[in-house]
Amino acid sequence: MNIRNTFVIIILGLILFSCGSNQDKKKKYFSIQTENNQRLFKIGETIKVGIKNDQNIQIDSVAFILNDKKVISKTLFTYEEKIDTEKLGKQILKAHVFYNGNVDTITKKITLLTNTPPKLYKYKIVAEYPHDKDAFTQGLEFFGDTLYESTGKKGTSSLRKIDYKTGKVLLKKEVPKEYFAEGITILNNKIFQLTWLSKEGFIYDLETLEKKQSFAYNESKEGWGLCNDGNNIYKSDGSEKIWILDPETLAEKEYIQVVTNKGVKSKFNELEWVDGKIYANTWPKHGAASASKLKSSITIINPANGAIEAVVDLRGLREKVTQHSELNVLNGIAYKADTKQLFVTGKYWDKIFEIEIVK
């Protein structure tokens, strides 16, 4: 064997040794162990966690992190947290384990739920108003006495100003045919409108409906519903997440996840802010084809933690509009905050209903 071949063998050996060493460095010596291997917790329960250390390595300290809340453990290396004000839904419990000048970061998936089942409310009709039955309603919101509506479908999407008492369209702005318009909300004299799959939203002048600019979605993949609390904008995307957006930059700052006492829920469509709560329509899991067989409802969501507090059963409303082949699901919630009036409609419905929730 010549010197050159010997040199090559030595170099290859060093490379393989180096790769093996890197693999050893990446090896996790620890894992997070919950009591009874529990992964699902409800408000009022306590998460009890320890570090599994099969090799009995000397640990210096552990930093546990849940919902951006950090707890340092320097003795028993355990963690306890009572679920109370935490955001609910699918969460990642993280631990940084410090040992011998090294640190291992380990994680465990857990789910946090509310401990109270949703209340069930009914409704009564206060008044009925005419509505364009050719409107595929995606968003509905009042500004003063004027009703604003976003309609969907590619080729027929629009933004409208409406006299809700007569159903007359006062002003209409067509959305370019390549877009499928979705929910709207009004803040700081601007109208914000989502599109479904284009990952793009539009901002309009409140008076003229002229488009001023566009915005991107960042992390969320789809656009479904919008509402606002006067400071922040809330956006649903079809998943369990409702994103909280900066009203100036439209950046997605954080999100809540919608849950009950039994699990994580999704497919929240049109949104409306009503007296400190998020009211939402739900898109049927199997689409519009099964809509007539499913419950029509409004879900009332706590925006602080994502818990569903109540469901308003609106069955029977769909049967009170003109029945036709294109008739579709309940979708559209509008709240006149000054008079505390609540209005609902649906896709291709020829009526808007003012309703009162019966608790």
Side-chain angles (χ1 to χ4, degrees):
M1 183 181 294
N2 59 36
I3 296 175
R4 182 176 179 181
N5 288 342
T6 302
F7 179 75
V8 170
I9 290 172
I10 292 171
I11 293 299
L12 288 172
L14 289 171
I15 292 172
L16 290 172
F17 177 78
S18 174
C19 291
S21 299
N22 288 337
Q23 287 175 350
D24 288 342
K25 288 180 182 177
K26 293 179 180 178
K27 182 179 179 181
K28 301 296 183 186
Y29 296 106
F30 313 100
S31 61
I32 296 174
Q33 188 76 41
T34 56
E35 189 175 48
N36 299 321
N37 202 31
Q38 186 175 350
R39 290 178 178 267
L40 191 152
F41 302 87
K42 296 183 180 181
I43 291 175
E45 295 181 346
T46 299
I47 300 174
K48 296 181 180 181
V49 171
I51 297 298
K52 190 175 182 182
N53 180 10
D54 290 335
Q55 299 189 30
N56 294 316
I57 296 172
Q58 181 72 35
I59 296 175
D60 300 316
S61 64
V62 180
F64 293 95
I65 303 171
L66 178 63
N67 268 335
D68 297 323
K69 184 178 179 181
K70 189 174 183 178
V71 174
I72 305 295
S73 177
K74 294 184 177 181
T75 53
L76 299 176
F77 314 120
T78 59
Y79 168 80
E80 290 192 13
E81 182 71 31
K82 184 177 181 179
I83 305 303
D84 43 30
T85 60
E86 282 77 13
K87 289 182 180 178
L88 306 177
K90 302 172 185 176
Q91 306 292 343
I92 301 293
L93 176 61
K94 184 183 295 185
H96 299 303
V97 183
F98 298 89
Y99 66 102
N100 300 329
N102 300 309
V103 57
D104 268 7
T105 299
I106 51 180
T107 60
K108 190 177 186 69
K109 295 179 180 179
I110 59 174
T111 302
L112 308 182
L113 303 177
T114 183
N115 58 347
T116 306
K119 296 177 181 177
L120 182 61
Y121 298 154
K122 296 184 178 182
Y123 72 97
K124 69 177 182 180
I125 298 172
V126 177
E128 299 179 7
Y129 302 95
H131 179 247
D132 180 5
K133 78 174 183 64
D134 294 322
F136 192 77
T137 305
Q138 297 290 79
L140 208 61
E141 187 159 332
F142 274 101
F143 187 83
D145 290 328
T146 303
L147 184 62
Y148 290 78
E149 182 174 20
S150 173
T151 69
K153 294 282 190 180
K154 283 188 176 182
T156 60
S157 290
S158 69
L159 179 63
R160 308 174 179 197
K161 291 173 72 170
I162 299 168
D163 180 339
Y164 78 94
K165 292 182 178 179
T166 65
K168 181 181 178 182
V169 177
L170 305 174
L171 186 60
K172 180 178 178 181
K173 179 73 174 180
E174 302 286 353
V175 174
K177 296 184 183 299
E178 64 268 28
Y179 294 103
F180 191 125
E182 286 278 349
I184 57 170
T185 197
I186 300 168
L187 183 63
N188 300 328
N189 292 314
K190 299 174 184 176
I191 304 173
F192 301 85
Q193 182 185 49
L194 297 175
T195 62
W196 181 23
L197 299 176
S198 301
K199 298 183 180 179
E200 184 179 7
F202 305 128
I203 303 174
Y204 300 87
D205 179 85
L206 180 63
E207 293 301 320
T208 65
L209 302 190
E210 290 302 314
K211 189 176 83 171
K212 296 298 183 181
Q213 63 187 95
S214 302
F215 62 91
Y217 290 173
N218 303 322
E219 289 186 55
S220 61
K221 295 180 180 179
E222 298 183 8
W224 286 45
L226 282 180
C227 69
N228 77 83
D229 62 4
N231 294 302
N232 294 302
I233 294 175
Y234 296 80
K235 171 185 181 290
S236 61
D237 64 0
S239 73
E240 70 277 4
K241 296 176 181 177
I242 294 182
W243 297 84
I244 302 172
L245 312 184
D246 183 287
E248 296 299 326
T249 66
L250 281 304
E252 295 161 353
K253 300 189 296 183
E254 55 182 322
Y255 60 82
I256 58 173
Q257 298 177 63
V258 184
V259 305
T260 65
N261 60 315
K262 294 185 177 181
V264 179
K265 304 299 179 181
S266 62
K267 295 189 177 295
F268 294 96
N269 209 5
E270 222 274 293
L271 305 181
E272 185 76 4
W273 187 267
V274 181
D275 294 338
K277 307 296 181 182
I278 295 174
Y279 282 37
N281 290 136
T282 306
W283 180 249
K285 289 184 178 180
H286 303 291
S290 61
S292 62
K293 300 178 182 179
L294 300 174
K295 293 181 180 180
S296 295
S297 62
I298 291 175
T299 301
I300 301 177
I301 303 164
N302 182 341
N305 62 7
I308 294 179
E309 296 185 342
V311 175
V312 187
D313 185 350
L314 296 180
R315 282 178 295 180
L317 277 183
R318 193 173 186 267
E319 287 67 41
K320 296 183 183 297
V321 303
T322 299
Q323 305 295 298
H324 58 91
S325 60
E326 298 297 320
L327 191 65
N328 211 293
V329 297
L330 174 84
N331 196 62
I333 309 169
Y335 184 61
K336 279 184 100 281
D338 56 342
T339 56
K340 296 190 177 297
Q341 293 172 280
L342 183 65
F343 300 79
V344 296
T345 190
K347 301 173 185 289
Y348 299 139
W349 288 21
D350 64 354
K351 291 180 183 179
I352 290 177
F353 298 92
E354 180 187 346
I355 64 168
E356 180 182 322
I357 294 175
V358 180
K359 297 184 178 181

